[in-house]
Amino acid sequence: MSQKGKQKTDEVTRIAVIIPDRCRPQKCGLQCKNACPVNKMQKKCIVVDTKSKKAEISEIMCIGCNICVNKCPNDAIRIMNLPSALDSQVSFRYGPNAFKLHRLPSPRPGQVLGLVGENGTGKSTALQILSNELQPNFGDFTKKMNTDDIIKIYRGTELQNYFSRLYKDELKVGLKIQYVDQITKSDKAEETVEDMLRKYKKKSEAKYNRLISQMQLEGLLERQINQLSGGELQRFALVYNAIKDYSVYLIDEPSSYLDVKQRLIAAEMIQELVADNSEKYCIVVEHDLAVLDYLSDYCSILYGQPGVYGIITLPYGVREGINVFLEGYIPTENVRFRETPIKFHVQQAQDTPQQQPEKKGKNDKKGKPQKDEGSEEEIVEAEPILFNRYPNMTIKLGEFVLHIKDGNFFTHQITLILGENGTGKSTFIKTIAGARGYDPVYENENDHIPSLAISYKPQTLSPSYDGSVQDMLNEKIPSTFTNRGFQDAVVTPLNIKHLLERSVKHLSGGELQRVATILALGKTADLYLIDEPSAYLDATQRLIVAKVMKRFIKSTGKCGYIVEHDFLMSLYLADRVILFEGVPGKECTANSPCSLAVGMNKFLSFIGVTFRRDPESLRPRVNKPNSAKDKDQKITGLYFADFMDEE
């Protein structure tokens, strides 16, 4: 921006972004250009690029009236005012009317840096810069900067030493990709796990054996890469990255597809990458906040407008950083990036309605009124009512056997389905849903699964609908989708307005997950069976989806059974727990529903991990192995730390 342009305002800098895949001048007739008041004064604020035939907006000429934003039928334009102080902190911009990133993460040798924030705010861009796939251009996208000049700009910071070593080829950078299912599409997809790792075994057999054992790959060595499940692919990708002698480990979403136990094991493996070498760097992007807390030494938050601009905060201690993220307010910058904070209070839901504690007017231990976590408005609480039950039964699928103990369905209540991968959680959901091929044997021949109106969202989403998102929703849930209350409570918070004209088959994983959640909640049902609603969502989206589902189940008086591995999301949602135990893939048992504290405590005792409560945000935190707190809780048997007692 020229000096003349900067003088236009002393306090803010205007940024105009056009989202390329939404800008369709051939269909809209350039309504933005025709409506622009600056253009009407015969000045060039919005012009049409002669090559791309798409609109371009001059940030200098723009007066910020937002008429073009409101006129664009495809929601392709974003006009934002940012503090001018951020001008000096721009690290990268892709081009005119394109995404802008402010600041960069500051990795420290020998420590793990965690990154958390919304998708589209610059995490991938930051990782590309730190791996030397992109170079900082500090907002000037018209030329490529000399590496010596880049180093000078970062003089006096931790990035000076990092870029000095990176540009001298002293750092070997390895990236664990976000979407591990892409590995099955590579030219090595038909090779076995052992073939892919063999040459690294020769270099260090001890390291090879340790990683294979730690990530439980012994039984997968003869399997081809394209035969691995999502969780197996994730564990292979982590080992394939960790076994190499990199100077910098960039790890993007290591917990996807993994259960709670596997996530914590993966976190320990990541910590070990730098624990014994003070010269190595490790940066991890993670949306499971409990895992991020466990594996990181410090963290930075990314916030902004997805696809428009992103700002990376200065580093925080990991506990403080996650609490700041949940609060939605950056105190050091006096910026609120989320309208409402996310607050946790963990209460022990009981097994019967008569044992439910009174919610209204309840105070916490300090005598302060308890508000529901993160709600803009109070979530409707009502006495749960028993309306049906399912009996004892057994289901066999090949060599796998699942024993299901009886349970009850209550209105206004969410039951968390908790267990390791391979213990039959999805099998249980499909059995209750009456899916074809899932035919149980009942303990009592007169028993049967109740015939209920059921809405089911599967774990794996394979879109087959030929048409747009709006067409599908209008067809599948016509009366609900047009209902004003449903729009306000479910559709609007999940932010799919810009997806309505998109083809269902062309949605990304996170977009598809949000649409599938709307579709599931939009069906009229007594029982909502939701399998892994957090998959592909960033941390903010997970909290929003959790809030939407909880409010919907509570306010409509429905029953929800939800499979979820994200620990914070699970605790936010759950009233009761069904714990799965046994030998994964062979013979397992789905226990009867129990209270949240009892179920969580028993599950954590299985995997040997203890949790405590953060005194400020009340969120659960994983204790470091063999710490004083960890040892004390294991001795007392309170693996889930008695959340009703103050620390």
Side-chain angles (χ1 to χ4, degrees):
M1 179 178 286
S2 67
Q3 188 63 33
K4 182 179 178 181
K6 287 186 178 180
Q7 290 174 348
K8 189 175 179 181
T9 172
D10 295 329
E11 298 180 354
V12 297
T13 296
R14 189 162 291 117
I15 174 175
V17 170
I18 297 177
I19 303 172
D21 61 347
R22 299 185 199 171
C23 184
R24 305 184 185 100
Q26 299 84 355
K27 292 186 177 181
C28 72
L30 288 170
Q31 295 181 38
C32 58
K33 178 183 176 183
N34 298 330
C36 177
V38 180
N39 277 34
K40 289 180 178 180
M41 296 171 63
Q42 306 303 313
K43 297 179 181 180
K44 294 183 178 180
C45 179
I46 301 180
V47 298
V48 179
D49 184 84
T50 55
K51 293 183 179 180
S52 67
K53 303 298 182 182
K54 295 191 176 184
E56 289 187 358
I57 301 175
S58 169
E59 292 173 346
I60 297 176
M61 298 299 297
C62 179
I63 60 174
C65 65
N66 274 340
I67 292 177
C68 59
V69 176
N70 297 326
K71 284 289 184 180
C72 179
N74 300 314
D75 195 29
I77 302 174
R78 298 287 185 274
I79 307 292
M80 307 291 297
N81 290 326
L82 300 179
S84 292
L86 286 173
D87 273 1
S88 61
Q89 301 177 48
V90 176
S91 56
F92 189 83
R93 193 168 192 184
Y94 283 94
N97 299 147
F99 179 81
K100 181 193 290 187
L101 178 65
H102 299 82
R103 308 193 193 113
L104 287 174
S106 298
R108 301 170 186 167
Q111 294 186 322
V112 178
L113 166 61
L115 299 181
V116 62
E118 287 187 75
N119 288 333
T121 53
K123 294 188 294 294
S124 296
T125 300
L127 293 184
Q128 286 179 292
I129 292 173
L130 294 176
S131 64
N132 204 19
E133 291 182 30
L134 293 175
Q135 286 188 351
N137 60 23
F138 305 101
D140 187 355
F141 45 81
T142 61
K143 62 181 180 180
K144 184 177 180 180
M145 291 193 65
N146 184 284
T147 55
D148 290 335
D149 293 333
I150 294 174
I151 294 170
K152 287 180 182 178
I153 290 175
Y154 287 110
R155 186 166 45 202
T157 70
E158 291 166 325
L159 285 169
Q160 178 187 7
N161 181 54
Y162 182 89
F163 282 126
S164 296
R165 296 179 63 191
L166 181 68
Y167 295 146
K168 292 177 182 177
D169 293 325
E170 294 178 3
L171 296 179
K172 186 179 179 182
V173 182
L175 171 66
K176 201 290 292 181
I177 61 174
Q178 176 183 8
Y179 297 110
V180 293
D181 48 358
Q182 293 179 359
I183 301 173
T184 61
K185 302 174 184 177
S186 69
D187 54 0
K188 295 184 178 180
E190 294 185 359
E191 295 190 26
T192 67
V193 171
E194 189 171 31
D195 290 338
M196 294 286 286
L197 299 175
R198 183 174 288 115
K199 68 177 181 179
Y200 304 105
K201 179 180 181 180
K202 294 178 181 178
K203 293 181 180 180
S204 177
E205 188 168 354
K207 184 177 182 180
Y208 170 88
N209 291 333
R210 176 173 58 82
L211 289 172
I212 292 295
S213 175
Q214 187 175 20
M215 297 306 296
Q216 301 173 345
L217 294 183
E218 298 96 333
L220 305 177
L221 294 175
E222 300 302 320
R223 296 261 298 277
Q224 290 183 342
I225 301 300
N226 56 15
Q227 296 176 342
L228 300 180
S229 67
E232 293 165 347
L233 272 173
Q234 185 70 266
R235 286 181 281 143
F236 163 74
L238 287 167
V239 170
Y240 190 70
N241 185 262
I243 202 169
K244 300 176 183 179
D245 190 24
Y246 289 128
S247 311
V248 183
Y249 294 93
L250 305 178
I251 302 176
D252 202 347
E253 296 191 31
S255 70
S256 298
Y257 300 109
L258 302 183
D259 61 39
V260 175
K261 179 179 180 180
Q262 292 168 340
R263 291 179 184 204
L264 298 179
I265 292 173
E268 292 174 0
M269 186 210 72
I270 291 169
Q271 288 178 316
E272 292 167 0
L273 294 175
V274 296
D276 299 326
N277 193 319
S278 60
E279 294 299 313
K280 291 184 180 291
Y281 298 87
C282 185
I283 303 172
V284 181
V285 175
E286 180 52 66
H287 297 307
D288 185 327
L289 298 181
V291 174
L292 181 80
D293 188 6
Y294 185 60
L295 64 83
S296 304
D297 295 297
Y298 63 115
C299 72
S300 285
I301 301 166
L302 289 88
Y303 67 96
Q305 180 75 29
V308 180
Y309 72 94
I311 302 172
I312 302 176
T313 67
L314 299 175
Y316 287 94
V318 65
R319 174 187 173 273
E320 181 186 8
I322 293 177
N323 284 350
V324 165
F325 177 78
L326 292 172
E327 186 67 24
Y329 174 72
I330 311 289
T332 55
E333 301 176 20
N334 193 26
V335 171
R336 177 163 289 282
F337 61 89
R338 192 187 311 114
E339 291 183 3
T340 55
I342 302 295
K343 297 293 184 183
F344 287 85
H345 67 263
V346 180
Q347 54 192 1
Q348 286 195 326
Q350 306 299 323
D351 294 328
T352 62
Q354 292 77 15
Q355 294 174 308
Q356 285 291 322
E358 179 69 25
K359 306 289 196 311
K360 188 174 181 180
K362 185 178 178 182
N363 294 337
D364 62 16
K365 291 288 182 178
K366 297 178 181 179
K368 297 179 180 179
Q370 282 189 348
K371 296 180 180 180
D372 197 271
E373 48 269 48
S375 302
E376 294 94 342
E377 56 191 61
E378 186 177 352
I379 291 179
V380 175
E381 293 285 1
E383 195 77 9
I385 299 172
L386 173 65
F387 69 94
N388 221 313
R389 58 175 294 276
Y390 58 89
N392 293 316
M393 52 187 150
T394 298
I395 185 166
K396 296 182 179 180
L397 295 175
E399 297 181 354
F400 177 68
V401 179
L402 176 65
H403 304 286
I404 300 174
K405 295 184 179 180
D406 66 321
N408 297 320
F409 296 122
F410 290 110
T411 63
H412 303 90
Q413 208 171 76
I414 295 176
T415 299
L416 174 67
I417 298 171
L418 184 64
E420 296 181 50
N421 283 341
T423 53
K425 300 185 299 299
S426 294
T427 298
F428 171 81
I429 286 283
K430 292 176 182 178
T431 302
I432 296 296
R436 185 176 300 175
Y438 291 79
D439 302 314
V441 176
Y442 299 103
E443 185 177 287
N444 186 327
E445 61 181 13
N446 295 322
D447 283 336
H448 63 276
I449 296 175
S451 179
L452 299 173
I454 290 175
S455 178
Y456 168 55
K457 187 201 81 67
Q459 176 185 28
T460 303
L461 303 175
S462 302
S464 58
Y465 186 84
D466 290 318
S468 69
V469 171
Q470 181 150 351
D471 290 341
M472 182 182 70
L473 294 174
N474 283 330
E475 180 182 322
K476 303 290 186 182
I477 52 171
S479 59
T480 311
F481 185 60
T482 56
N483 180 276
R484 179 63 181 273
F486 187 78
Q487 284 279 335
D488 291 343
V490 177
V491 179
T492 300
L494 295 186
N495 189 27
I496 66 159
K497 180 181 177 181
H498 63 284
L499 303 177
L500 292 177
E501 293 188 5
R502 294 263 300 278
S503 168
V504 174
K505 292 183 177 180
H506 294 158
L507 298 179
S508 69
E511 293 167 345
L512 192 61
Q513 189 68 253
R514 302 203 306 276
V515 171
T517 300
I518 291 172
L519 190 61
L521 297 181
K523 293 179 180 178
T524 303
D526 302 310
L527 175 63
Y528 290 83
L529 304 173
I530 311 292
D531 202 342
E532 295 200 34
S534 73
Y536 302 109
L537 301 181
D538 63 41
T540 299
Q541 291 169 340
R542 292 181 185 194
L543 296 171
I544 292 172
V545 167
K547 186 192 301 182
V548 165
M549 290 193 299
K550 182 172 183 175
R551 180 181 294 125
F552 179 84
I553 296 294
K554 299 286 187 180
S555 63
T556 59
K558 305 299 184 180
C559 178
Y561 271 50
I562 298 178
V563 178
E564 184 50 62
H565 292 305
D566 184 301
F567 208 82
L568 266 66
M569 189 170 176
S570 297
L571 290 181
Y572 183 94
L573 288 167
D575 296 304
R576 299 189 301 164
V577 171
I578 295 177
L579 180 61
F580 284 64
E581 55 184 317
V583 181
K586 295 185 179 181
E587 186 171 6
C588 298
T589 298
N591 291 293
S592 297
C594 62
S595 70
L596 175 63
V598 170
M600 285 291 185
N601 194 67
K602 190 173 182 181
F603 174 69
L604 293 176
S605 69
F606 290 161
I607 65 176
V609 173
T610 59
F611 275 74
R612 68 189 185 281
R613 180 177 61 180
D614 183 85
E616 182 179 334
S617 65
L618 304 186
R619 64 183 172 86
R621 302 188 68 199
V622 188
N623 292 317
K624 300 295 182 183
N626 298 318
S627 65
K629 190 73 176 175
D630 181 60
K631 292 178 180 178
D632 181 59
Q633 287 182 212
K634 285 178 178 177
I635 290 173
T636 59
L638 293 174
Y639 286 77
F640 188 52
D642 190 352
F643 274 66
M644 294 186 297
D645 291 339
E646 294 296 319
E647 294 187 325

